[in-house]
PDB file of all heavy atoms in Angstrom:
ATOM      1  N   LYS A  11     124.283 141.955 -50.788  1.00  0.00           N
ATOM      2  CA  LYS A  11     123.027 141.278 -50.984  1.00  0.00           C
ATOM      3  C   LYS A  11     123.188 139.821 -50.385  1.00  0.00           C
ATOM      4  O   LYS A  11     122.229 139.313 -49.812  1.00  0.00           O
ATOM      5  CB  LYS A  11     122.731 141.182 -52.451  1.00  0.00           C
ATOM      6  CG  LYS A  11     121.288 140.628 -52.743  1.00  0.00           C
ATOM      7  CD  LYS A  11     120.950 140.839 -54.205  1.00  0.00           C
ATOM      8  CE  LYS A  11     119.563 140.372 -54.529  1.00  0.00           C
ATOM      9  NZ  LYS A  11     119.185 140.567 -55.936  1.00  0.00           N
ATOM     10  N   ALA A  12     124.330 139.213 -50.553  1.00  0.00           N
ATOM     11  CA  ALA A  12     124.603 137.849 -50.062  1.00  0.00           C
ATOM     12  C   ALA A  12     124.513 137.894 -48.448  1.00  0.00           C
ATOM     13  O   ALA A  12     123.924 137.033 -47.860  1.00  0.00           O
ATOM     14  CB  ALA A  12     125.998 137.358 -50.457  1.00  0.00           C
ATOM     15  N   SER A  13     125.116 138.909 -47.922  1.00  0.00           N
ATOM     16  CA  SER A  13     125.145 139.072 -46.479  1.00  0.00           C
ATOM     17  C   SER A  13     123.707 139.188 -45.943  1.00  0.00           C
ATOM     18  O   SER A  13     123.331 138.458 -44.965  1.00  0.00           O
ATOM     19  CB  SER A  13     125.979 140.321 -46.026  1.00  0.00           C
ATOM     20  OG  SER A  13     125.700 140.678 -44.728  1.00  0.00           O
ATOM     21  N   ARG A  14     122.922 140.013 -46.506  1.00  0.00           N
ATOM     22  CA  ARG A  14     121.567 140.293 -46.060  1.00  0.00           C
ATOM     23  C   ARG A  14     120.650 139.063 -46.323  1.00  0.00           C
ATOM     24  O   ARG A  14     119.795 138.833 -45.496  1.00  0.00           O
ATOM     25  CB  ARG A  14     121.039 141.560 -46.659  1.00  0.00           C
ATOM     26  CG  ARG A  14     121.383 142.799 -45.869  1.00  0.00           C
ATOM     27  CD  ARG A  14     122.749 142.793 -45.278  1.00  0.00           C
ATOM     28  NE  ARG A  14     123.014 143.825 -44.261  1.00  0.00           N
ATOM     29  CZ  ARG A  14     124.096 143.936 -43.546  1.00  0.00           C
ATOM     30  NH1 ARG A  14     125.028 143.053 -43.653  1.00  0.00           N
ATOM     31  NH2 ARG A  14     124.186 144.903 -42.613  1.00  0.00           N
ATOM     32  N   ALA A  15     120.908 138.281 -47.352  1.00  0.00           N
ATOM     33  CA  ALA A  15     120.217 137.085 -47.576  1.00  0.00           C
ATOM     34  C   ALA A  15     120.375 136.086 -46.470  1.00  0.00           C
ATOM     35  O   ALA A  15     119.401 135.431 -46.022  1.00  0.00           O
ATOM     36  CB  ALA A  15     120.532 136.488 -48.913  1.00  0.00           C
ATOM     37  N   VAL A  16     121.604 135.938 -46.008  1.00  0.00           N
ATOM     38  CA  VAL A  16     121.885 135.063 -44.949  1.00  0.00           C
ATOM     39  C   VAL A  16     121.301 135.521 -43.617  1.00  0.00           C
ATOM     40  O   VAL A  16     120.642 134.782 -42.940  1.00  0.00           O
ATOM     41  CB  VAL A  16     123.421 134.918 -44.750  1.00  0.00           C
ATOM     42  CG1 VAL A  16     123.763 134.134 -43.499  1.00  0.00           C
ATOM     43  CG2 VAL A  16     124.077 134.182 -46.029  1.00  0.00           C
ATOM     44  N   MET A  17     121.437 136.821 -43.327  1.00  0.00           N
ATOM     45  CA  MET A  17     120.758 137.378 -42.131  1.00  0.00           C
ATOM     46  C   MET A  17     119.287 137.130 -42.164  1.00  0.00           C
ATOM     47  O   MET A  17     118.631 136.767 -41.045  1.00  0.00           O
ATOM     48  CB  MET A  17     121.061 138.832 -42.064  1.00  0.00           C
ATOM     49  CG  MET A  17     122.461 139.145 -41.632  1.00  0.00           C
ATOM     50  SD  MET A  17     122.610 140.949 -41.295  1.00  0.00           S
ATOM     51  CE  MET A  17     124.417 140.984 -40.731  1.00  0.00           C
ATOM     52  N   ASP A  18     118.600 137.284 -43.283  1.00  0.00           N
ATOM     53  CA  ASP A  18     117.183 137.075 -43.385  1.00  0.00           C
ATOM     54  C   ASP A  18     116.751 135.645 -43.122  1.00  0.00           C
ATOM     55  O   ASP A  18     115.723 135.375 -42.612  1.00  0.00           O
ATOM     56  CB  ASP A  18     116.628 137.590 -44.755  1.00  0.00           C
ATOM     57  CG  ASP A  18     116.672 139.064 -44.849  1.00  0.00           C
ATOM     58  OD1 ASP A  18     116.773 139.799 -43.907  1.00  0.00           O
ATOM     59  OD2 ASP A  18     116.597 139.550 -46.005  1.00  0.00           O
ATOM     60  N   ALA A  19     117.710 134.637 -43.471  1.00  0.00           N
ATOM     61  CA  ALA A  19     117.336 133.275 -43.456  1.00  0.00           C
ATOM     62  C   ALA A  19     117.845 132.633 -42.163  1.00  0.00           C
ATOM     63  O   ALA A  19     117.222 131.565 -41.745  1.00  0.00           O
ATOM     64  CB  ALA A  19     118.020 132.518 -44.651  1.00  0.00           C
ATOM     65  N   LEU A  20     118.704 133.244 -41.476  1.00  0.00           N
ATOM     66  CA  LEU A  20     119.362 132.582 -40.286  1.00  0.00           C
ATOM     67  C   LEU A  20     118.373 132.528 -39.163  1.00  0.00           C
ATOM     68  O   LEU A  20     117.799 133.535 -38.685  1.00  0.00           O
ATOM     69  CB  LEU A  20     120.585 133.405 -39.883  1.00  0.00           C
ATOM     70  CG  LEU A  20     121.481 132.687 -38.819  1.00  0.00           C
ATOM     71  CD1 LEU A  20     122.116 131.423 -39.434  1.00  0.00           C
ATOM     72  CD2 LEU A  20     122.585 133.612 -38.290  1.00  0.00           C
ATOM     73  N   LYS A  21     118.213 131.309 -38.601  1.00  0.00           N
ATOM     74  CA  LYS A  21     117.342 131.069 -37.417  1.00  0.00           C
ATOM     75  C   LYS A  21     117.668 129.646 -36.890  1.00  0.00           C
ATOM     76  O   LYS A  21     118.321 128.824 -37.627  1.00  0.00           O
ATOM     77  CB  LYS A  21     115.903 131.253 -37.725  1.00  0.00           C
ATOM     78  CG  LYS A  21     115.390 130.295 -38.834  1.00  0.00           C
ATOM     79  CD  LYS A  21     113.921 130.571 -39.014  1.00  0.00           C
ATOM     80  CE  LYS A  21     113.424 129.586 -40.264  1.00  0.00           C
ATOM     81  NZ  LYS A  21     111.981 129.891 -40.474  1.00  0.00           N
ATOM     82  N   PRO A  22     117.216 129.342 -35.709  1.00  0.00           N
ATOM     83  CA  PRO A  22     117.471 127.979 -35.237  1.00  0.00           C
ATOM     84  C   PRO A  22     116.837 126.924 -36.181  1.00  0.00           C
ATOM     85  O   PRO A  22     115.720 127.104 -36.772  1.00  0.00           O
ATOM     86  CB  PRO A  22     116.732 127.965 -33.884  1.00  0.00           C
ATOM     87  CG  PRO A  22     116.738 129.392 -33.403  1.00  0.00           C
ATOM     88  CD  PRO A  22     116.642 130.206 -34.693  1.00  0.00           C
ATOM     89  N   GLY A  23     117.582 125.835 -36.315  1.00  0.00           N
ATOM     90  CA  GLY A  23     117.188 124.778 -37.240  1.00  0.00           C
ATOM     91  C   GLY A  23     117.817 124.800 -38.626  1.00  0.00           C
ATOM     92  O   GLY A  23     117.720 123.805 -39.370  1.00  0.00           O
ATOM     93  N   ILE A  24     118.403 125.931 -38.983  1.00  0.00           N
ATOM     94  CA  ILE A  24     119.050 126.060 -40.293  1.00  0.00           C
ATOM     95  C   ILE A  24     120.426 125.475 -40.210  1.00  0.00           C
ATOM     96  O   ILE A  24     121.157 125.622 -39.263  1.00  0.00           O
ATOM     97  CB  ILE A  24     119.112 127.583 -40.666  1.00  0.00           C
ATOM     98  CG1 ILE A  24     117.719 128.228 -40.885  1.00  0.00           C
ATOM     99  CG2 ILE A  24     119.973 127.896 -41.891  1.00  0.00           C
ATOM    100  CD1 ILE A  24     117.003 127.676 -42.056  1.00  0.00           C
ATOM    101  N   CYS A  25     120.799 124.838 -41.368  1.00  0.00           N
ATOM    102  CA  CYS A  25     122.165 124.224 -41.445  1.00  0.00           C
ATOM    103  C   CYS A  25     123.134 125.347 -41.941  1.00  0.00           C
ATOM    104  O   CYS A  25     122.865 126.108 -42.863  1.00  0.00           O
ATOM    105  CB  CYS A  25     122.164 123.135 -42.424  1.00  0.00           C
ATOM    106  SG  CYS A  25     123.785 122.438 -42.815  1.00  0.00           S
ATOM    107  N   TRP A  26     124.298 125.495 -41.230  1.00  0.00           N
ATOM    108  CA  TRP A  26     125.208 126.530 -41.572  1.00  0.00           C
ATOM    109  C   TRP A  26     125.816 126.303 -42.986  1.00  0.00           C
ATOM    110  O   TRP A  26     126.086 127.281 -43.672  1.00  0.00           O
ATOM    111  CB  TRP A  26     126.320 126.508 -40.570  1.00  0.00           C
ATOM    112  CG  TRP A  26     127.325 127.701 -40.713  1.00  0.00           C
ATOM    113  CD1 TRP A  26     128.676 127.565 -40.907  1.00  0.00           C
ATOM    114  CD2 TRP A  26     127.018 129.104 -40.575  1.00  0.00           C
ATOM    115  NE1 TRP A  26     129.210 128.848 -40.954  1.00  0.00           N
ATOM    116  CE2 TRP A  26     128.274 129.782 -40.762  1.00  0.00           C
ATOM    117  CE3 TRP A  26     125.877 129.851 -40.390  1.00  0.00           C
ATOM    118  CZ2 TRP A  26     128.346 131.173 -40.787  1.00  0.00           C
ATOM    119  CZ3 TRP A  26     125.986 131.195 -40.359  1.00  0.00           C
ATOM    120  CH2 TRP A  26     127.231 131.904 -40.528  1.00  0.00           C
ATOM    121  N   VAL A  27     125.963 125.059 -43.467  1.00  0.00           N
ATOM    122  CA  VAL A  27     126.466 124.733 -44.801  1.00  0.00           C
ATOM    123  C   VAL A  27     125.433 125.397 -45.774  1.00  0.00           C
ATOM    124  O   VAL A  27     125.912 126.010 -46.777  1.00  0.00           O
ATOM    125  CB  VAL A  27     126.626 123.295 -44.991  1.00  0.00           C
ATOM    126  CG1 VAL A  27     126.980 122.952 -46.505  1.00  0.00           C
ATOM    127  CG2 VAL A  27     127.667 122.696 -44.068  1.00  0.00           C
ATOM    128  N   ASP A  28     124.158 125.281 -45.542  1.00  0.00           N
ATOM    129  CA  ASP A  28     123.174 125.855 -46.444  1.00  0.00           C
ATOM    130  C   ASP A  28     123.292 127.395 -46.505  1.00  0.00           C
ATOM    131  O   ASP A  28     123.031 128.009 -47.598  1.00  0.00           O
ATOM    132  CB  ASP A  28     121.759 125.504 -46.069  1.00  0.00           C
ATOM    133  CG  ASP A  28     121.505 124.005 -46.199  1.00  0.00           C
ATOM    134  OD1 ASP A  28     122.250 123.303 -47.024  1.00  0.00           O
ATOM    135  OD2 ASP A  28     120.530 123.511 -45.591  1.00  0.00           O
ATOM    136  N   MET A  29     123.728 127.951 -45.412  1.00  0.00           N
ATOM    137  CA  MET A  29     123.870 129.447 -45.442  1.00  0.00           C
ATOM    138  C   MET A  29     125.109 129.864 -46.308  1.00  0.00           C
ATOM    139  O   MET A  29     125.022 130.834 -47.029  1.00  0.00           O
ATOM    140  CB  MET A  29     124.040 129.989 -44.041  1.00  0.00           C
ATOM    141  CG  MET A  29     122.878 129.834 -43.125  1.00  0.00           C
ATOM    142  SD  MET A  29     121.387 130.850 -43.675  1.00  0.00           S
ATOM    143  CE  MET A  29     120.543 129.649 -44.647  1.00  0.00           C
ATOM    144  N   HIS A  30     126.158 129.017 -46.247  1.00  0.00           N
ATOM    145  CA  HIS A  30     127.295 129.231 -47.093  1.00  0.00           C
ATOM    146  C   HIS A  30     126.939 129.118 -48.572  1.00  0.00           C
ATOM    147  O   HIS A  30     127.320 130.016 -49.396  1.00  0.00           O
ATOM    148  CB  HIS A  30     128.418 128.265 -46.787  1.00  0.00           C
ATOM    149  CG  HIS A  30     129.606 128.279 -47.613  1.00  0.00           C
ATOM    150  ND1 HIS A  30     130.744 129.025 -47.309  1.00  0.00           N
ATOM    151  CD2 HIS A  30     129.880 127.725 -48.811  1.00  0.00           C
ATOM    152  CE1 HIS A  30     131.649 128.923 -48.230  1.00  0.00           C
ATOM    153  NE2 HIS A  30     131.118 128.120 -49.211  1.00  0.00           N
ATOM    154  N   LEU A  31     126.117 128.095 -48.878  1.00  0.00           N
ATOM    155  CA  LEU A  31     125.733 127.935 -50.300  1.00  0.00           C
ATOM    156  C   LEU A  31     124.791 129.009 -50.737  1.00  0.00           C
ATOM    157  O   LEU A  31     124.832 129.461 -51.901  1.00  0.00           O
ATOM    158  CB  LEU A  31     125.073 126.546 -50.422  1.00  0.00           C
ATOM    159  CG  LEU A  31     126.048 125.372 -50.196  1.00  0.00           C
ATOM    160  CD1 LEU A  31     125.215 123.972 -50.119  1.00  0.00           C
ATOM    161  CD2 LEU A  31     127.131 125.362 -51.262  1.00  0.00           C
ATOM    162  N   LEU A  32     123.948 129.504 -49.805  1.00  0.00           N
ATOM    163  CA  LEU A  32     123.025 130.597 -50.151  1.00  0.00           C
ATOM    164  C   LEU A  32     123.798 131.895 -50.501  1.00  0.00           C
ATOM    165  O   LEU A  32     123.567 132.556 -51.534  1.00  0.00           O
ATOM    166  CB  LEU A  32     122.126 130.909 -48.945  1.00  0.00           C
ATOM    167  CG  LEU A  32     121.278 132.202 -49.088  1.00  0.00           C
ATOM    168  CD1 LEU A  32     120.308 132.093 -50.283  1.00  0.00           C
ATOM    169  CD2 LEU A  32     120.486 132.429 -47.776  1.00  0.00           C
ATOM    170  N   ALA A  33     124.878 132.183 -49.709  1.00  0.00           N
ATOM    171  CA  ALA A  33     125.698 133.319 -49.977  1.00  0.00           C
ATOM    172  C   ALA A  33     126.403 133.157 -51.374  1.00  0.00           C
ATOM    173  O   ALA A  33     126.526 134.092 -52.172  1.00  0.00           O
ATOM    174  CB  ALA A  33     126.776 133.455 -48.891  1.00  0.00           C
ATOM    175  N   ASN A  34     126.905 131.915 -51.691  1.00  0.00           N
ATOM    176  CA  ASN A  34     127.512 131.681 -52.987  1.00  0.00           C
ATOM    177  C   ASN A  34     126.499 131.924 -54.061  1.00  0.00           C
ATOM    178  O   ASN A  34     126.822 132.567 -55.145  1.00  0.00           O
ATOM    179  CB  ASN A  34     128.012 130.205 -53.042  1.00  0.00           C
ATOM    180  CG  ASN A  34     129.331 130.024 -52.392  1.00  0.00           C
ATOM    181  OD1 ASN A  34     129.820 128.862 -52.293  1.00  0.00           O
ATOM    182  ND2 ASN A  34     129.981 131.046 -51.796  1.00  0.00           N
TER     183      ASN A  34
END
């Protein structure tokens, strides 16, 4: 679920740190 949440959110302009925190 964490993996797919990141995939759904990932796009240009997104901060990679925020993706890490989203997965957490």
Side-chain angles (χ1 to χ4, degrees):
K11 191 170 183 179
S13 165
R14 273 36 193 173
V16 172
M17 286 190 178
D18 289 342
L20 191 67
K21 62 182 179 181
I24 293 291
C25 174
W26 187 242
V27 175
D28 291 342
M29 294 295 93
H30 177 94
L31 294 173
L32 172 62
N34 279 178

